[in-house]
Amino acid sequence: MRVTRRTILRGALATTVASALPRFSFAAQSLELGAARIDTLSDGNLVLPLSFVSNDPKAVPILKEFGLTGAQVEPPCNLTLYRDGTNTVLFDVGSGPDFMPTAGKLQAALDALEITHDDVTHVVFTHAHPDHLWGVLDDFDEPIFANAQHFMGKSEFEFWINPETVNTIDEGRTTFAAGALRRLQTLEDQITTFGDGEEILPGIASRMTPGHTPGHMSFEIRNGSNSAFVTGDAIVNHYLAFAAPGMAAGSDQDPDLGAKTRVALLDQLASEKMPIIGFHLPEGGLGHVERQGDAYRYVPEA
């Protein structure tokens, strides 16, 4: 293994984490997909104001049904690791140390599975929000997955790498834009962009699911007759997004488009009974969608 400043830092952090946490505590769930394997990895959780879910008064009784009556929500952050014997593909990279102290725990999950940074052959981004992108660089601004090929949807990449985005995005997301710009400029020569419906790697096809961000991508993974769907933040929680998918979500940059995308996606996933991996869904994020009257519900895998 090539030794860099990043390797030395990682080793020190791994020793600290190992002494403080039980083994495997951050490796959440797994799914056998034919000859391949999917693991969900915890990056910790976010702490957000309840208004980030929705400001619609109609949301209040639904949120109460799920016990959400306080001022905050604490959504989990689940990354997806796919291994097919040839490729080791990480979907999103988490927050790193610069976003929230409750997140940025990916290293512990990788250590639990004995996965090194150099083992990761490909990094695939659903979108460029901090909890999905900011963990891509180390404390020396070096790419953490230095040997991996990085992928991001073309329209998503172009939106965030545009220096004017920080001046045109809404005020609450200017930090998002500045942080994305710095990281994407550093990674620019290592990123491959793609469009909707492309097979970016064998068995991994992109699916444009915009609204949460302008070029948000989800991914369908197929291995033989088996499949699973990485939703990213196209489905951003397990309560309102399912019970009232047409309701505007406060976390979506384009709430109307996000709702339209969500309704169509949930209909497809419920019809096809395809396993899903949701970045902010509970219990590791691996489950499936079931219809419930005119709405849906999230069912975690046992």
Side-chain angles (χ1 to χ4, degrees), residues 1 4 32 81-82 95 100 107 110 118 123 135 169 176 195 204-205 226 230 235 254 281-282 286 290:
M1 179 176 69
T4 65
E32 300 297 330
L81 183 73
Y82 173 73
S95 298
M100 290 187 182
Q107 187 60 61
L110 291 173
D118 289 340
V123 172
I169 202 168
F176 292 12
I204 300 177
N226 302 281
V230 178
I235 303 171
D254 185 334
L281 299 184
L286 179 61
E290 288 186 356

Side-chain angles (χ1 to χ4, degrees), residues 64-271:
K64 284 183 177 179
E65 287 180 18
F66 286 89
L68 297 171
T69 58
Q72 295 180 332
V73 289
E74 298 183 3
C77 299
N78 310 298
L79 282 67
T80 300
L81 183 73
Y82 173 73
R83 290 176 284 177
D84 64 6
T86 301
N87 298 315
T88 296
V89 185
L90 182 64
F91 292 85
D92 295 323
V93 295
S95 298
D98 298 330
F99 187 46
M100 290 187 182
T102 54
K105 315 300 183 186
L106 173 61
Q107 187 60 61
L110 291 173
D111 288 343
L113 293 179
E114 299 182 347
I115 301 291
T116 71
H117 296 158
D118 289 340
D119 290 333
V120 177
T121 59
H122 303 85
V123 172
V124 180
F125 296 105
T126 59
H127 63 296
H129 275 172
D131 49 330
H132 298 255
L133 172 67
W134 282 19
V136 78
L137 302 179
D138 66 16
D139 285 353
F140 305 101
D141 276 354
E142 294 178 351
I144 287 181
F145 302 99
N147 297 330
Q149 184 178 5
H150 293 61
F151 290 90
M152 183 177 285
K154 187 173 187 294
S155 59
E156 183 76 359
F157 178 79
E158 290 177 346
F159 176 79
W160 294 103
I161 204 167
N162 182 349
E164 285 303 308
T165 294
V166 72
N167 299 318
T168 57
I169 202 168
D170 65 89
E171 185 176 349
R173 290 182 168 92
T174 54
T175 302
F176 292 12
L181 177 62
R182 180 170 74 82
R183 289 162 176 83
L184 293 180
Q185 285 178 330
T186 301
L187 287 169
E188 188 168 6
D189 293 338
Q190 294 176 249
I191 290 183
T192 299
T193 60
F194 55 90
D196 183 25
E198 292 189 30
E199 187 176 52
I200 62 171
L201 290 166
I204 300 177
S206 63
R207 167 79 177 274
M208 178 72 85
T209 47
H212 186 71
T213 60
H216 185 284
M217 287 282 185
S218 301
F219 300 91
E220 185 174 340
I221 304 174
R222 288 197 174 273
N223 191 290
S225 61
N226 302 281
S227 63
F229 199 89
V230 178
T231 68
D233 282 1
I235 303 171
V236 78
N237 58 60
H238 68 288
Y239 32 89
L240 208 60
F242 287 81
M247 187 178 293
S251 59
D252 289 345
Q253 288 179 227
D254 185 334
D256 291 339
L257 180 57
K260 181 179 179 181
T261 294
R262 195 160 46 248
V263 168
L265 183 58
L266 286 167
D267 180 69
Q268 175 198 343
L269 294 171
S271 297

